[in-house]
Amino acid sequence: MKKNNLKIGIIGFGAMGKTHAYAVQNLPFFFGNLPFRATVEGVVTRSLEKSQAICDTYGIPLALTNEDDLINNPEIDAIDICTPNILHYETAKKALLAGKHVYCEKPLCDTYEKAGELAQLAKSRCLVNMTVFNNRHLTAVIRAKQLIDEGRLGRILHFDMQYLHNSCIDPDRTVGWKQNSDVCGEGGVLFDLGSHVLDLAVFLCGKVKTISAKSQIAYPTHKTSSGDDWQTNAPEAFYMMTTTTEGATGMITASKLTSGACDDLRFAIYGERGSVRFSLMQPNFLEFYDATVSDKPQGGTRGYTQIECVGRAPAPGGVFPAPKAPVGWLTGHVMSMGRFLEAVYHGTEADPDFESAAYVQYLMDVALRADKQGRSLEVTL
C-alpha cells in the first residue's frame, strides 16, 4: 500500500544534510502535482545541542545523537546518509537490514567490496536505494544524454571530463575531513570529485575498458584548525586516461589544485557526427568590457573579462548554498531527491542505484591500483 506521507531521517547535517533537507522541503515548488507529501522527521548529529538547533531552525520534530534511534524508528520510511565517506557502509547496512529505503551521498563506500555488498543487500531486500550523483539531473546533462542516445553524435571518439576546485592551493587554509584519508578514504579528491566525473563518463560515454592514472599532492603540509602543521595523506588531484568498451578514449581530471575554479564541472564529448560541451560555471559569469583598457594592435588587453559571481550575494543573503556553488547546483539536488522519493512512493527502482555506485567504486579502486603500479590496468567488471 502506497504511503501518502513519506518520512525521512537525515544522518549527518553539514553542508549536504542541509542541502538534502532543502530538497525535501521544496519538492512541491519543483515537481507539479506530487501524489505524496515528504517531510524530514529526524536529524542525527554528534551533538544534541546541534541537532536541536537544526530542528528548531528547520521545523524538524526529532533531534537525536544516536543513528540507531532513527534507523529503528517505525515511523521513518527512508534514511538519508550525509556523513563522511568511511561511515556510509555501516549506516547504510543497518538501515537496509532495518527495512529502510536508503539515499546515500557519494561515494557509496570507500572500497568496492563494501559497495558491492550494499548493492546486493538492497537488491535482495527489494528496497529503493540511490546514490547522490546529482549532476546526472542537471538539464544540460539530461539533454546531452538524449542527443547521444539518439545517435546525433555518432560513434564517440574521445572525451574530456573535469571537476575542478581551488580548495587545496592555499597551504595555510585549515584542512578539512575531505583531505584526510582516515575519514574520506584513500582516494581523497578521487572519491570526492572524481566519483562525480567517473559517473558522468559512464552515464554519457559507456563502460570503461582500461584505466591509467596519476595522483598528485602539491602541498605536503597543510594547517589544522589549531594552527599546527598537518601532513597531507590523500591526493589533492587525480588524473586518469581511460578507454571505453566502445573504443573511445577519455581524459578524466579531478583536482582541487586549480586556481580560479570554484565548482567547475565540465565535459566535452566528440563523436563522428557531432560534439557536446558543457561547463557548470558558465551561467555564473558576468562578462565585462572595459573601454579604458589599451587597444593597441599588439600588447593590448581590451576585451571581455569573465567575472565570477557565483553565489556571492550581498549580506544577509549568499550563505546558502556555499558561495562557490553555481546556479543550478541546488536544482540538481532537488531533482535527485524527487526521483528517489518517487521511486519509494511507486515501489520502483531508482537511478543511479547502489549497483551503479558500486561500479564507480570499482573504477576508483582500479584507478588507485593503476596509480600505485604506474601502468594501465584492464577493467574486468
Side-chain angles (χ1 to χ4, degrees):
M1 182 177 179
K2 295 178 179 177
K3 289 188 65 175
N4 292 324
N5 187 6
L6 301 177
K7 297 181 179 181
I8 299 106
I10 298 179
I11 299 176
F13 207 89
M16 298 319 304
K18 187 175 181 179
T19 300
H20 291 195
Y22 171 94
V24 173
Q25 293 179 349
N26 285 275
L27 282 175
F29 293 98
F30 290 79
F31 286 75
N33 301 316
L34 275 175
F36 59 86
R37 180 171 178 261
T39 55
V40 178
E41 290 294 308
V43 168
V44 173
T45 73
R46 289 179 294 180
S47 161
L48 184 58
E49 182 180 4
K50 179 180 178 181
S51 294
Q52 190 60 60
I54 291 166
C55 289
D56 292 344
T57 300
Y58 301 107
I60 300 170
L62 293 174
L64 302 167
T65 58
N66 188 337
E67 66 178 31
D68 293 346
D69 293 337
L70 195 61
I71 290 171
N72 295 317
N73 186 325
E75 294 296 313
I76 299 297
D77 300 296
I79 294 295
D80 183 346
I81 303 172
C82 299
T83 52
N85 304 345
I86 63 168
L87 303 177
H88 292 179
Y89 168 75
E90 292 292 346
T91 303
K93 185 175 182 177
K94 285 192 290 186
L96 291 169
L97 290 173
K100 307 298 184 184
H101 307 292
V102 180
Y103 188 69
C104 185
E105 263 298 331
K106 57 79 203 166
L108 179 55
C109 295
D110 57 342
T111 68
Y112 168 66
E113 182 181 10
K114 294 177 183 177
E117 181 185 339
L118 291 181
Q120 288 299 316
L121 180 59
K123 185 175 183 179
S124 69
R125 300 222 159 208
C126 299
L127 293 165
V128 177
N129 54 97
M130 188 168 176
T131 310
V132 188
F133 289 124
N134 53 291
N135 295 298
R136 282 199 191 192
H137 303 276
L138 298 172
T139 53
V141 173
I142 294 170
R143 180 62 174 142
K145 174 68 171 172
Q146 183 183 42
L147 291 169
I148 291 168
D149 289 348
E150 289 174 351
R152 300 290 293 275
L153 272 62
R155 182 168 65 97
I156 295 175
L157 303 174
H158 64 103
F159 57 89
D160 186 9
M161 296 195 173
Q162 304 173 331
Y163 207 157
L164 312 176
H165 280 193
N166 61 2
S167 52
C168 286
I169 59 176
D170 180 5
D172 294 325
R173 181 174 182 245
T174 300
V175 69
W177 67 263
K178 290 184 178 181
Q179 286 79 54
N180 185 348
S181 65
D182 295 336
V183 184
C184 72
E186 182 185 4
V189 71
L190 173 64
F191 286 179
D192 185 19
L193 305 182
S195 58
H196 275 302
V197 283
L198 277 168
D199 177 68
L200 283 184
V202 174
F203 182 58
L204 295 174
C205 301
K207 287 202 166 185
V208 178
K209 182 179 180 182
T210 64
I211 299 178
S212 57
K214 178 65 177 175
S215 62
Q216 181 184 12
I217 293 177
Y219 298 95
T221 303
H222 283 273
K223 294 292 185 182
T224 67
S225 57
S226 59
D228 298 326
D229 286 342
W230 180 84
Q231 299 303 307
T232 306
N233 61 10
E236 299 169 319
F238 208 94
Y239 312 94
M240 291 164 276
M241 176 178 282
T242 67
T243 62
T244 70
T245 55
E246 298 300 318
T249 297
M251 293 297 301
I252 299 175
T253 301
S255 175
K256 295 184 177 181
L257 298 173
T258 45
S259 298
C262 288
D263 195 42
D264 198 355
L265 172 66
R266 56 176 64 190
F267 61 77
I269 303 171
Y270 304 95
E272 289 181 323
R273 297 180 58 194
S275 63
V276 290
R277 297 191 303 180
F278 171 71
S279 171
L280 185 59
M281 293 300 296
Q282 191 59 40
N284 302 275
F285 286 98
L286 172 68
E287 289 194 326
F288 173 62
Y289 183 91
D290 188 352
T292 67
V293 173
S294 171
D295 64 344
K296 294 178 181 179
Q298 294 294 325
T301 56
R302 181 181 289 183
Y304 282 99
T305 300
Q306 288 188 317
I307 303 171
E308 58 181 45
C309 302
V310 202
R312 294 176 175 84
V319 296
F320 180 74
K324 289 181 180 293
V327 172
W329 184 84
L330 270 176
T331 302
H333 275 284
V334 175
M335 297 301 291
S336 179
M337 178 65 75
R339 298 307 181 203
F340 168 72
L341 293 175
E342 282 182 331
V344 171
Y345 176 75
H346 291 291
T348 56
E349 295 181 358
D351 186 38
D353 59 9
F354 284 4
E355 187 173 357
S356 297
Y359 181 71
V360 170
Q361 197 78 49
Y362 173 76
L363 295 180
M364 293 191 292
D365 282 8
V366 173
L368 287 170
R369 294 201 305 272
D371 176 42
K372 290 177 181 178
Q373 297 177 23
R375 63 189 182 95
S376 178
L377 294 180
E378 292 283 334
V379 174
T380 58
L381 188 64

